Amino acid sequence: MSGSGKASGSLVLPRRFHAKVDVRWSDMDVFQHVNHARMVTLLEEARIPWLFEDGRPTAPLREGCVLADLRVRYRGQLRHEDTPLDIAMWIEQLRAVDFTIGYEVRAAGAQPDSPAAVVASTQIAAFDMRAQRLRRLTDAERDYLSEWME
C-alpha cells in the first residue's frame, strides 16, 4: 500500500493510494466473477488502511462517517485468480462535510496505466454520531485528503 505519482515509462501517473486486496473464494458468483456486493466490500477493505488506520489524519472518521453515494461500473471481469486486486484510490471532490473517492480496480500484475476492470466512486460524509448530524471536516482531515486530489 503506497502513494505513487511516479512515471511508468514516459507516462506520468497521478498520485494514487494503492491497496492490495485478496479475493476470497466466497467473493465469486455462479459465473466465477467477483460478485457485485462483494466488490463493494472489497472497495471498503481497500479504503480502510488509507483513511482509517491509526496515525492517519482521517482516522477520526472511523468514529462517524456515512456513505452518501456509491457508483460501480464494470469494464472487465475479475476472477479469483486475479488476486490480490490492485485498488487505486484518490479524491475526486472535497467539500466542507464530504468527499468523493475515485477507484480503479485491476487484476494482480496489471500495469497501472492499463484499463481498469472496475471504476467506482463513493461519497463519504463526516458524521457526528452523538448529535446525529453531519459535521465539517477538520483542517487536518481536509489537508490530508487534499494531498490525494486529482
Side-chain angles (χ1 to χ4, degrees):
M1 293 168 240
S2 66
S4 79
K6 297 179 181 165
S8 172
S10 63
L11 177 67
V12 176
L13 298 172
R15 185 166 189 225
R16 303 280 193 256
F17 185 90
H18 288 264
K20 302 292 185 193
V21 179
D22 288 325
V23 176
R24 297 165 293 260
W25 187 251
S26 61
D27 293 335
M28 304 287 92
D29 65 17
V30 70
F31 302 109
Q32 300 305 306
H33 326 100
V34 174
N35 174 278
H36 172 71
R38 299 301 184 126
M39 178 54 66
V40 171
T41 299
L42 295 169
L43 295 173
E44 178 182 25
E45 290 174 10
R47 71 178 171 258
I48 288 170
W50 181 37
L51 299 176
F52 303 127
E53 281 189 351
D54 289 341
R56 301 269 189 229
T58 49
L61 288 170
R62 67 184 175 207
E63 302 300 322
C65 66
V66 293
L67 185 68
D69 187 58
L70 167 69
R71 297 169 195 261
V72 182
R73 294 172 301 283
Y74 297 92
R75 298 189 170 156
Q77 297 181 44
L78 290 169
R79 299 176 178 268
H80 189 265
E81 59 265 19
D82 294 325
T83 198
L85 300 178
D86 177 29
I87 302 180
M89 297 165 284
W90 65 95
I91 300 299
E92 291 182 339
Q93 184 177 39
L94 179 58
R95 300 187 312 179
V97 298
D98 64 29
F99 55 97
T100 302
I101 301 170
Y103 304 83
E104 291 180 339
V105 183
R106 292 180 177 79
Q111 293 298 313
D113 58 348
S114 67
V118 175
V119 177
S121 65
T122 54
Q123 179 187 14
I124 297 177
F127 195 78
D128 182 328
M129 296 299 282
R130 281 176 265 182
Q132 286 295 294
R133 66 173 188 240
L134 296 176
R135 70 163 176 85
R136 295 182 72 81
L137 293 165
T138 67
D139 288 343
E141 290 166 342
R142 288 183 57 76
D143 290 347
Y144 178 71
L145 293 169
S146 69
E147 293 175 20
W148 299 95
M149 288 286 294
E150 185 168 59

